[in-house]
Amino acid sequence: MRWGSYVAVGDSFTEGLDDPYPDGTFRGWADLVATRLAAEAGPDFQYANLAIRGRTFPNVVAEQVPMALAMKPDLISFAAGGNDVLRRTFDPDALVSRFDQVVGRLRADGADVVLFRFADVMARLPGQRFIAPRVALLNRAVGETAERHGAILVDLYADDTYLNPMLWSTDRLHLSAVGHRRVAAQVLAALGVGCDEQWLLVPPSPQPTPWLSARAADLRWAGQHLAPWITRRLTGRSSGDTRTAKRPALGPFSSPPPR
């Protein structure tokens, strides 16, 4: 086992939304990966999860990357840019150039770095015509950057299982508990570490919903999730404005109690 420490960097994807415990905290794929790595490495294994929901790429780079570098971990996961592609101010050239620079910095001290090509989340969201090309551009850049810097690539986009709505929460944007388990399994596979095969099991896709029922569900979703998101954009707020990292310090990791 060559990793004695692991730091997770990113936004809500890495923080663990929506894989909740009864007390309102979140587990998520990064905690699952840390649990497995700790079991392999022993009691001296250290872990920090710096990810905070709503953070854009510049926020992640300014706030989390320096902290991760200062911790000098053996392994870093870096997933950012998903919030940027949803914004009107998205600048693809600037993000792609900065992404390459950041990964180069993370790799410079010898840490292994895990990168992600994002799953096709737009399949069930409005705005696909405008957002999907941005996601494709970001995914292409991630793959090229991983190859250029020798990073470990986890290609979620290539896995059609993520088209199953059971892998997504009711907001259609964040992973469900089932989705987080699958991501954790794929990260561990990329690292060459085995995991519980149950993590890869996915419930069958639900039967097609009658048109009228589907439109009613769309209206409920728009009221509960889309409208608040638009309001935050118009007012310059973020879902993570009052949040701090859930595991901000690199320290011995003990897995959370089972749910």
Side-chain angles (χ1 to χ4, degrees):
M1 186 66 184
R2 65 179 184 271
W3 301 289
S5 53
Y6 165 40
V7 175
V9 173
D11 51 30
S12 57
F13 168 71
T14 303
E15 183 186 344
L17 274 68
D18 276 316
D19 184 17
Y21 283 101
D23 64 359
T25 59
F26 293 97
R27 180 179 60 175
W29 66 264
D31 279 15
L32 288 168
V33 167
T35 300
R36 187 69 185 88
L37 295 180
E40 290 284 327
D44 293 331
F45 180 80
Q46 295 182 305
Y47 170 57
N49 189 331
L50 307 180
I52 300 175
R53 69 193 73 173
R55 292 300 195 258
T56 60
F57 186 89
N59 296 145
V60 172
V61 172
E63 300 167 9
Q64 299 175 32
V65 167
M67 293 174 62
L69 290 171
M71 292 176 182
K72 299 187 180 301
D74 301 323
L75 178 67
I76 301 171
S77 63
F78 179 74
N83 288 313
D84 301 74
V85 301
L86 299 174
R87 281 166 166 75
R88 179 173 48 84
T89 55
F90 178 65
D91 183 342
D93 293 334
L95 190 146
V96 169
S97 175
R98 193 90 184 275
F99 194 96
D100 184 85
Q101 294 171 10
V102 171
V103 174
R105 286 173 59 196
L106 295 174
R107 288 282 290 145
D109 288 340
D112 287 322
V113 176
V114 177
L115 303 177
F116 296 86
R117 295 184 76 225
F118 294 112
D120 187 10
V121 65
M122 294 308 301
R124 301 177 63 240
L125 292 174
Q128 183 173 17
R129 173 183 169 190
F130 300 100
I131 304 301
R134 296 178 173 187
V135 175
L137 183 149
L138 179 58
N139 278 342
R140 184 167 60 251
V142 169
E144 293 170 353
T145 300
E147 184 174 359
R148 188 157 44 246
H149 293 284
I152 300 163
L153 181 64
V154 179
D155 193 351
L156 305 181
Y157 189 83
D159 185 358
D160 288 342
T161 305
Y162 288 97
L163 297 176
N164 184 340
M166 299 301 292
L167 272 70
W168 301 93
S169 72
T170 56
D171 71 1
R172 306 182 183 181
L173 184 62
H174 297 102
L175 293 166
S176 65
V178 174
H180 278 287
R181 288 198 299 271
R182 188 169 187 85
V183 172
Q186 290 172 301
V187 172
L188 290 168
L191 295 175
V193 179
C195 70
D196 188 337
E197 292 183 1
Q198 297 289 321
W199 292 3
L200 287 168
L201 296 181
V202 177
S205 296
Q207 293 297 314
T209 305
W211 186 90
L212 198 58
S213 298
R215 299 296 74 75
D218 288 343
L219 287 173
R220 289 194 298 272
W221 170 81
Q224 295 173 5
H225 302 288
L226 181 60
W229 184 87
I230 292 174
T231 299
R232 288 196 298 271
R233 297 290 77 72
L234 293 175
T235 56
R237 294 184 293 113
S238 165
S239 58
D241 282 347
T242 60
R243 300 282 176 172
T244 57
K246 64 177 182 177
R247 297 180 186 274
L250 191 64
F253 177 69
S254 57
S255 57
R259 288 176 296 186

